[in-house]
Each structure stands twice: as C-alpha cells, then as structure tokens.
Amino acid sequence: ALLADGRVRLVELGRRRDREFSRLPSLVGKAKLGHEPAEIILPGTEEKIEVSVLDPTLSLAQYVDLKLPTGGLAGVLLNNRVTASFLEVVPGLPDLVHLGKIWPSLPQLQGGPDTVILDAPATGHAVALLSAPENFRRITKVGPIFRDASLMVDFFSDPEKTALVFAALPEEMAVQETLDLQRLLGKNFPKPNVFVNKCFPELPPLKDEQNSLPWKAYRYAKERGDRERDAAAQLKGAQKIPFFFPEPDALPLFLRISEHLE
C-alpha cells in the first residue's frame, strides 16, 4: 500500500507572511487547499486522504476557543491588533497552537484519523516546533496548556506513536543542517528516518572528452553526482531518492518516489 491503512491526514503548516506559499496542492492535484481538512483522491490512485494547510491565525483562534469557557471569544481577542500582536510574539506560542490545532485529531483520540502526517518547517523552525510542548510544560506548571503540553511531550517521545522523517538535499549545507537537527533533538524524540532527495545518478567515467555540448553536459552531471555523493555520505544509513527528470506521461512524482522506495 502507498500509505498506512485506515484514515490518513496530511497537514502542512502555513506561513503568516506568505499565505499562498505551499507546494502541497500541486502535489496532490488540487488548485488550492484550506485550513480545514478536505478529502481528496491522490492523482493516479484510488486512495483517499485528508489534506489541509493550516492558517496560523485560525489555528490560534480555534485553540484559544477550546481553552476558554466562552466560545467565540478568541475571535474578538484576535481581531484586536494589540492583543493579536502580543499573542504572536510570545515565544513558542504559534508553534504550540499549531500543534494544538492538530492535537484533537491525533490517533489516540476517538474519531480521529489513524495516521497524521505533519509536513513541518525546515531545520531551525522544526526544532522550535517540536520543543514547544516541553518548553510550555516547564513554564506553565498547571492548567489546561500544561496538561496539553504534557500529553504532547509523551506522545512525541513515544516511538510506538511518533516517527520522525528528515529529508535533505545532497548538498553540504543541507546535510550539515540535518546533522545539527539530529544533535539538537537528541534522545528526547524517536530516532529519525533520514532521506536524501534529488540525488543525481552515478555516471561511468568516459575517455576522450571533447568540448562539445553533450560532453559539457556529461561533465557537469558527473561532477555534480560525485559531489553530492560525498556530501550525502555524512548521513550514515540515509536512504537516497534519485533525481526524477521530467518525462512525458510520467506518473505523479509521489508515485515515482513510492515505487523507488518499495
């Protein structure tokens, strides 16, 4: 099977400063995705999944509404520029409420999907996101946020419930960032699965090189592939995903990757 059995929800974290930033719609064959989960059929398959791109402001409003006795009050607070600005600059709060939006749908709760796949931000922001529950657990000590943060810490540290996947390009900086991320997360999270994406193929050496365009293309591809393999070798045990060149009538990209992984 392409995905885990049961209901699958794929969630991407939206960016406040660029509301239209997302490659997810094109990957799943949709023109646009919203804050609430939408059921789609993956292109080229008969598999259904739920997909959403979270809006930071809506996530905050919905999470606050869950915690306040008066429903709808969050919308009033967030429409106040002073209050909204204060909530946005509290360190770690946007990360916690993003997780808080996803939290009610996590598999351990009745009626939720069987698997939630979260497309998290890049290295530094991913550390902040995953560390937010533990930070708020230490700060709050008691109350509803403390209880939620404690549950999240236990859930994310349990390898039976949570899996981490790191994806890096075969470039020196990206590889180093991935190594740093592994070190920063330490033993507080399950051991991650690491993938190196878009790896150029390994080309055989050729003699009698010329200065024609085909030879220049070969030389570029050969040197790029060698350089990428040297960089990727630092990620011990990582699985490599090839660079998929555009082809007429090719399968959707995620299917080509899936076939390679199988």
Side-chain angles (χ1 to χ4, degrees):
L2 176 62
L3 296 170
D5 293 334
R7 290 174 57 197
V8 175
R9 180 170 298 171
L10 176 56
V11 180
E12 183 179 71
L13 300 186
R15 303 193 310 189
R16 177 177 301 280
R17 294 183 180 180
D18 185 358
R19 294 177 181 271
E20 300 302 318
F21 173 80
S22 176
R23 292 190 59 199
L24 189 56
S26 62
L27 289 175
V28 298
K30 299 288 288 186
K32 193 173 183 180
L33 294 169
H35 181 73
E36 297 302 330
E39 187 176 78
I40 66 156
I41 298 177
L42 288 172
T45 77
E46 296 181 356
E47 297 198 51
K48 294 180 180 179
I49 65 170
E50 299 173 355
V51 189
S52 64
V53 177
L54 296 188
D55 179 279
T57 302
L58 291 177
S59 291
L60 181 55
Q62 291 173 347
Y63 186 69
V64 172
D65 269 340
L66 285 174
K67 303 305 169 187
L68 292 178
T70 305
L73 182 58
V76 175
L77 291 175
L78 295 175
N79 284 329
N80 180 294
R81 286 186 299 175
V82 176
T83 306
S85 298
F86 170 76
L87 292 173
E88 289 176 21
V89 298
V90 174
L93 183 57
D95 297 315
L96 188 72
V97 299
H98 264 319
L99 295 175
K101 165 62 182 174
I102 303 168
W103 188 247
S105 66
L106 283 173
Q108 88 281 10
L109 300 179
Q110 185 177 6
D114 299 284
T115 303
V116 175
I117 303 171
L118 172 62
D119 183 8
T123 314
H125 292 161
V127 172
L129 176 74
L130 293 172
S131 301
E134 176 60 33
N135 292 338
F136 271 85
R137 184 171 70 167
R138 290 200 306 265
I139 293 170
T140 53
K141 302 295 184 182
V142 294
I145 293 181
F146 170 79
R147 290 193 295 272
D148 280 0
S150 298
L151 287 171
M152 292 179 192
V153 168
D154 293 340
F155 189 91
F156 293 139
S157 62
D158 187 347
E160 296 295 322
K161 297 177 180 178
T162 298
L164 297 181
V165 176
F166 295 167
L169 293 174
E171 301 169 357
E172 187 65 35
M173 182 176 293
V175 167
Q176 188 58 53
E177 286 181 349
T178 303
L179 292 170
D180 291 342
L181 182 56
Q182 290 177 307
R183 177 179 54 80
L184 289 169
L185 292 181
K187 298 180 179 180
N188 297 325
F189 297 91
K191 183 179 179 180
N193 301 288
V194 182
F195 293 84
V196 183
N197 196 17
K198 295 186 176 180
C199 297
F200 249 47
E202 184 172 359
L203 299 178
L206 296 179
K207 298 180 180 180
D208 301 326
E209 292 191 16
Q210 304 173 19
N211 201 34
S212 64
L213 184 59
W215 275 104
K216 289 180 179 179
Y218 161 81
R219 200 159 48 239
Y220 165 81
K222 177 73 167 59
E223 292 173 357
R224 173 171 170 172
D226 293 343
R227 184 173 63 250
E228 289 181 349
R229 278 183 292 280
D230 288 342
Q234 300 177 66
L235 295 170
K236 306 299 183 183
Q239 184 165 355
K240 296 178 176 61
I241 300 173
F243 190 105
F244 289 100
F245 293 90
E247 297 178 11
D249 303 321
L251 291 172
L253 181 58
F254 69 88
L255 281 179
R256 298 174 73 184
I257 295 175
S258 176
E259 287 184 347
H260 173 79
L261 296 179
E262 291 176 351

